[in-house]
Amino acid sequence: MSAQVDEIKKGPNSRASAKSARPKKPNGQWKVDGQEPLNKNEIDKAEDNGLNVRTRIEEVYSKGGFASIDPDDLHGRFRWWGLYTQRKPGIDGGRTAKLEPHELEDEYFMMRIRTDGGALNLEQLRTIAQIAEDFARGSADLTDRQNIQLHWVEIENVPEIWRRLEAVGMQTTEACGDVPRGFLGSPVAGIAADELIDPTPAIEEITRRYIGDPSLSNLPRKYKTAITGHPSQDVVHEINDCSFVAVEHPEHGIGYDLWVGGALSVVPRFAERLGAWVAPDQVVDVWLGVTEIFRDYGYRRLRNKARMKFLLADWGPEKLRDVLETEYLGYRLADGPPPPKPMVAGDHVGVHRQKDGKYFIGTSLVAGRASGTLFHQIADLIEEYGVDRIRLTPMQKILILDVDEADLDDVVARLDGLGMSSRKDLFRRSVMACTGIEYCKLAIVETKQTAIDAVTKLEERLADIDLPHPISLHLNGCPNSCARIQTADIGLKGQIVTTDEGEQVPGFQVHVGGGLASKDRDEAGLGRTVRGLKVTVDGLEEYVEKMVRRFLDGRSDAETFSQWALRVEEEELV
């Protein structure tokens, strides 16, 4: 009783005060708390660097088969070489969160091929096409990070795939894992007539020096980089951990504006400018410094807090810049201006003149769905016209470079015959989708085929209208936002929804009004979530058509879809 009396005398805030007085748990920051691992992931990384698993894959697992793989390697270190187990067919989305990883996974792998900056030559394209045919049941999808994903890969074939890729200068090194993932680079680097600066040398030097470097292969979590020298800002820099955006300094000339701390997922946050101008010859050192800050100060105790965005949120851009300059660079960076608003589209769809007088053709594939067969067909086509280069884009598009003016009409028509449209289509141009339940163990709904079906039906349903600008439609199979749903005009997050009849079916929660800086938008903004607004997969086209027609009927002059969607009452969006 006396203890209760004492508690009453202390007042109602005593427990809170006692709680706040307790020492905070360490965040696992190496330079603050030491390098003692604080969870299973960190223990596994400390015990054996993920890069080391390649030897075991080549010498043990590829010979012993799937059953010979150590679980810690299978569910962790394999990612350092671009390998994830894929989803076992036939498991519906309602069971995704109820089953353990080993119950969801098949004895096949997704393999991610890095294409830093999205650049491929003809030999590389043919090599990927043949690998897809020989070892991946023809699969070869484009991601929104300029990578290529193979599926149905068996562990026995992985060494041979590596051999073929590396023979033509390609790799899967650190395509996944707690490492510097593949670099987003402007797909028109070095060719665009209106380019400010070519970032290719910086990307190539960083890749050569630091991808596969053990000193950077144990980061708190994944780490994403983007760099562009094009005024369209075509690498979604606002949602990367570290980004460089070309800008002209009034005194120093062309360089880069530095952005840090962007990422989406379930806790979206846009990157912030550090206010620093980075000279072209400083890019590699600055990238390394920011990456080492993440390694040394990033939060490691809780994996859901182990991204650069959480460190930046706590530190702020001023402190992060100061630490970068004083602890890692040893010199001060010049203050610099922000990049101006983009005045041209960053998806590069259509026909565009290059700086050398030739042309590039930007084509749309629906939701990045490709194949080994398609890659063979593209290779045959471009070789016929003397073309040796293509580029992949962060919007799941393909650019065909170096086309002679006299050949443009023929090449455009033949690409269209392959399903690669260079027209300003209603939705084909601006639809994106993640891997979805077809292969992903985290997914709840199908995305790729849903997107393909939706585009086909919407083009029929809305054939009578002329949109003032593309309306982006992004489909994600789960809440993790691999397809950037919060930054789409209409973003769709996969989940199981209940119909009016009480039946549970695959569907989506709807976000509207999001976007990144573009010629139609001054700055990035997250989409609006309308409470309770969900659509079934079967009702998707009807809902999108309804929204588009309401927008066209209710918009003011020059108002974009996102502006309209953020302005109107919720009733208009249901």
Side-chain angles (χ1 to χ4, degrees):
M1 179 67 71
S2 61
Q4 294 177 341
V5 172
D6 288 343
E7 190 68 36
I8 293 170
K9 288 179 179 179
K10 291 176 184 176
N13 295 323
S14 60
R15 291 184 180 177
S17 299
K19 184 176 181 180
S20 63
R22 296 173 188 162
K24 292 183 178 179
K25 291 183 178 180
N27 282 312
Q29 296 169 283
W30 279 3
K31 275 203 171 184
V32 177
D33 307 309
Q35 296 189 20
E36 182 70 24
L38 300 178
N39 58 49
K40 178 66 163 60
N41 286 288
E42 292 299 310
I43 292 171
D44 287 347
K45 290 188 290 182
E47 288 180 345
D48 189 20
N49 192 296
L51 293 173
N52 295 336
V53 79
R54 174 162 178 160
T55 300
R56 293 193 288 279
I57 291 174
E58 292 177 322
E59 297 181 359
V60 181
Y61 304 145
S62 64
K63 297 175 182 178
F66 189 88
S68 70
I69 303 172
D70 182 280
D72 287 341
D73 284 344
L74 181 66
H75 300 122
R77 301 181 189 99
F78 267 42
R79 300 174 186 179
W80 272 244
W81 290 94
L83 293 163
Y84 282 94
T85 51
Q86 67 187 41
R87 188 188 189 95
K88 189 179 297 182
I91 301 176
D92 65 76
R95 300 173 65 198
T96 296
K98 299 176 182 178
L99 298 178
E100 295 297 323
H102 69 275
E103 296 176 296
L104 285 164
E105 69 188 5
D106 209 343
E107 295 187 0
Y108 297 93
F109 292 90
M110 177 274 285
M111 174 180 272
R112 185 174 296 157
I113 302 171
R114 291 183 77 117
T115 56
D116 295 288
L120 292 173
N121 60 37
L122 183 60
E123 183 182 31
Q124 291 169 333
L125 183 63
R126 288 198 183 280
T127 297
I128 294 169
Q130 197 59 51
I131 288 172
E133 294 293 327
D134 291 346
F135 304 119
R137 300 189 186 181
S139 65
D141 284 339
L142 310 183
T143 77
D144 59 10
R145 294 202 60 81
Q146 294 175 298
N147 296 314
I148 295 171
Q149 288 186 175
L150 310 175
H151 294 281
W152 301 108
V153 172
E154 295 176 292
I155 192 64
E156 291 86 348
N157 297 320
V158 169
E160 174 62 14
I161 295 174
W162 282 336
R163 187 194 67 76
R164 294 191 192 183
L165 289 173
E166 290 165 5
V168 295
M170 302 195 74
Q171 61 183 337
T172 70
T173 315
E174 297 183 341
C176 315
D178 298 350
V179 293
R181 302 281 184 96
F183 296 169
L184 292 185
S186 172
V188 295
I191 63 165
D194 55 346
E195 181 180 52
L196 295 174
I197 186 172
D198 182 358
T200 304
I203 293 175
E204 290 179 345
E205 185 174 357
I206 294 171
T207 303
R208 177 181 58 82
R209 288 171 58 180
Y210 297 114
I211 299 308
D213 180 350
S215 72
L216 296 179
S217 63
N218 182 357
L219 302 180
R221 209 171 170 193
K222 58 188 171 184
Y223 182 76
K224 299 180 178 181
T225 304
I227 178 169
T228 181
H230 195 263
S232 65
Q233 300 172 21
D234 49 4
V235 292
V236 297
H237 63 279
E238 301 101 324
I239 54 174
N240 278 263
D241 295 285
C242 179
S243 297
F244 300 85
V245 182
V247 66
E248 184 171 6
H249 194 285
E251 298 177 15
H252 305 301
I254 304 296
Y256 296 95
D257 190 38
L258 177 61
W259 296 62
V260 174
L264 292 178
S265 193
V266 295
V267 184
R269 194 180 198 281
F270 289 127
E272 295 189 51
R273 296 182 59 243
L274 298 195
W277 180 84
V278 181
D281 62 359
Q282 295 173 326
V283 170
V284 176
D285 288 343
V286 170
W287 177 86
L288 177 61
V290 175
T291 307
E292 289 177 328
I293 287 175
F294 181 50
R295 178 195 66 194
D296 297 341
Y297 287 104
Y299 303 146
R300 293 173 181 263
R301 181 173 66 87
L302 298 176
R303 195 157 175 82
N304 62 358
K305 297 287 186 182
R307 291 295 301 273
M308 176 66 90
K309 63 183 175 182
F310 295 105
L311 181 65
L312 181 70
D314 289 344
W315 277 14
E318 295 82 8
K319 178 177 178 178
L320 197 145
R321 178 177 174 179
D322 182 65
V323 171
L324 171 65
E325 293 171 337
T326 58
E327 293 188 30
Y328 292 86
L329 294 179
Y331 58 84
R332 293 289 181 182
L333 297 167
D335 293 338
K341 173 185 174 180
M343 298 308 294
V344 293
D347 63 3
H348 304 298
V349 171
V351 176
H352 306 270
R353 188 178 179 87
Q354 298 176 183
K355 63 176 64 176
D356 63 1
K358 293 188 177 185
Y359 290 80
F360 71 87
I361 304 169
T363 68
S364 298
L365 287 177
V366 180
R369 178 44 53 94
S371 66
T373 298
L374 178 63
F375 285 170
H376 274 306
Q377 292 171 327
I378 296 171
D380 290 343
L381 171 58
I382 65 175
E383 186 175 30
E384 184 177 334
Y385 290 90
V387 172
D388 185 52
R389 298 190 294 170
I390 72 167
R391 298 276 175 83
L392 312 179
T393 85
M395 285 73 176
Q396 297 179 321
K397 308 292 186 288
I398 295 180
L399 312 186
I400 309 299
L401 276 52
D402 307 324
V403 180
D404 290 329
E405 184 173 9
D407 296 330
L408 279 174
D409 289 343
D410 287 346
V411 175
V412 165
R414 291 182 63 180
L415 288 169
D416 196 56
L418 297 179
M420 300 170 62
S421 171
S422 56
R423 300 183 302 273
K424 305 298 192 289
D425 300 282
L426 283 177
F427 284 97
R428 186 177 302 266
R429 175 180 181 179
S430 51
V431 69
M432 287 176 50
C434 70
T435 298
I437 201 170
E438 183 178 12
Y439 299 119
C440 179
K441 299 189 296 291
L442 301 177
I444 301 169
V445 302
E446 156 58 36
T447 53
K448 294 285 188 184
Q449 192 59 49
T450 299
I452 293 169
D453 293 343
V455 166
T456 302
K457 294 174 183 177
L458 285 168
E459 288 176 347
E460 295 173 356
R461 284 172 172 264
L462 296 169
D464 60 315
I465 70 167
D466 184 21
L467 282 176
H469 59 83
I471 293 179
S472 55
L473 182 67
H474 294 188
L475 290 78
N476 214 77
C478 76
N480 287 319
S481 201
C482 295
R484 311 198 292 252
I485 55 173
Q486 300 101 325
T487 60
D489 288 311
I490 303 175
L492 302 164
K493 180 174 72 176
Q495 60 181 224
I496 301 299
V497 304
T498 304
T499 67
D500 293 339
E501 293 75 30
E503 182 183 4
Q504 290 195 316
V505 298
F508 301 95
Q509 182 183 46
V510 182
H511 302 253
V512 293
L516 301 175
S518 68
K519 70 184 185 68
D520 297 317
R521 189 182 187 110
D522 291 336
E523 61 183 21
L526 297 174
R528 170 184 182 183
T529 303
V530 179
R531 187 181 300 276
L533 176 53
K534 298 177 177 63
V535 298
T536 65
V537 168
D538 291 341
L540 176 58
E541 298 86 13
E542 180 182 356
Y543 175 77
V544 174
E545 179 189 7
K546 181 171 61 176
M547 287 303 101
V548 170
R549 294 192 184 278
R550 284 183 183 175
F551 159 63
L552 292 175
D553 290 341
R555 71 188 289 255
S556 60
D557 291 343
E559 190 173 35
T560 66
F561 181 89
S562 287
Q563 290 169 336
W564 171 82
L566 295 175
R567 172 181 62 83
V568 298
E569 298 295 328
E570 288 190 356
E571 290 75 15
E572 285 289 298
L573 302 172
V574 176

